[in-house]
Amino acid sequence: MNNELLSIMEKCGHFLYHRRGGKRGQIRILNLLDKSNGVTQKELLQNIPLKSGSMSEMVSKLEAQGFILKERDKEDRRKINIILTPKGKSFLDRQLAINREQEKDLFTSLTPEEQQLLIQLLNKLFDDWKSKFDSDLFNHRKEEGNV
């Protein structure tokens, strides 16, 4: 039975990852920039726990797409702030709207009672895993809303 559970959970995880375009990190960066007036790459790393090299790569890709700009801080010329462009804001808004629309259909095959039971069972499973396994395995993402 463990193999069957693992198999279906892997399929669900794969689907959810790719349903969001596999770009969850980029969306999180754009979302953070949307809520600020510009942040440094160091501040991004403090808010979105990724390895420095991965963050640099994502920032470079977002800049190449025209979604962000890097500009010197007006008060401290040594700092370089990363700022969301209008093109980046438009992309973010479209992507979040698509995600919200698609999320409406994810659990319609379950009754509200079944959805509540699934939440309880997954929380129970997750809490058990957190008590048994290295905490570093659970820290790759902050727990937050649908971003």
Side-chain angles (χ1 to χ4, degrees):
M1 187 170 333
N2 276 352
N3 286 340
E4 187 177 357
L5 282 169
L6 284 171
S7 176
I8 193 65
M9 289 186 77
E10 286 172 348
K11 289 176 188 175
C12 288
H14 181 82
F15 168 78
L16 290 172
Y17 176 81
H18 289 285
R19 183 191 69 77
R20 291 182 173 234
K23 305 280 186 201
R24 188 164 167 84
Q26 290 183 6
I27 296 301
R28 290 176 72 198
I29 291 170
L30 295 175
N31 203 32
L32 179 68
L33 293 174
D34 187 38
K35 292 174 175 41
S36 70
N37 290 329
V39 297
T40 65
Q41 195 157 318
K42 181 179 179 182
E43 291 168 327
L44 279 177
L45 279 168
Q46 291 169 345
N47 288 286
I48 303 172
L50 290 171
K51 292 184 178 178
S52 179
S54 297
M55 180 65 76
S56 294
E57 184 179 341
M58 272 195 227
V59 166
S60 294
K61 286 180 181 179
L62 291 168
E63 186 177 25
Q65 293 171 295
F67 293 161
I68 63 170
L69 283 176
K70 292 180 181 177
E71 61 181 41
R72 293 220 176 262
D73 189 287
K74 291 172 179 63
E75 295 174 15
D76 183 349
R77 303 289 296 161
R78 295 171 295 170
K79 282 177 45 178
I80 296 178
N81 289 321
I82 301 170
I83 298 165
L84 185 67
T85 65
K87 181 179 179 182
K89 172 71 171 148
S90 176
F91 172 79
L92 175 64
D93 290 345
R94 277 192 319 274
Q95 192 62 50
L96 292 176
I98 290 167
N99 287 351
R100 280 190 299 275
E101 192 60 36
Q102 290 177 346
E103 287 166 0
K104 291 178 185 176
D105 292 333
L106 286 177
F107 302 103
T108 55
S109 65
L110 301 176
T111 66
E113 295 79 19
E114 289 170 328
Q115 290 179 33
Q116 190 58 44
L117 179 59
L118 181 59
I119 289 169
Q120 291 170 353
L121 292 172
L122 290 173
N123 276 323
K124 180 179 180 178
L125 185 61
F126 191 73
D127 289 343
D128 181 58
W129 289 351
K130 285 173 73 173
S131 74
K132 292 179 179 174
F133 299 101
D134 185 355
S135 63
D136 288 344
L137 296 171
F138 303 93
N139 292 332
H140 71 285
R141 277 194 193 137
K142 290 184 179 180
E143 294 180 21
E144 61 188 29
N146 296 348
V147 175

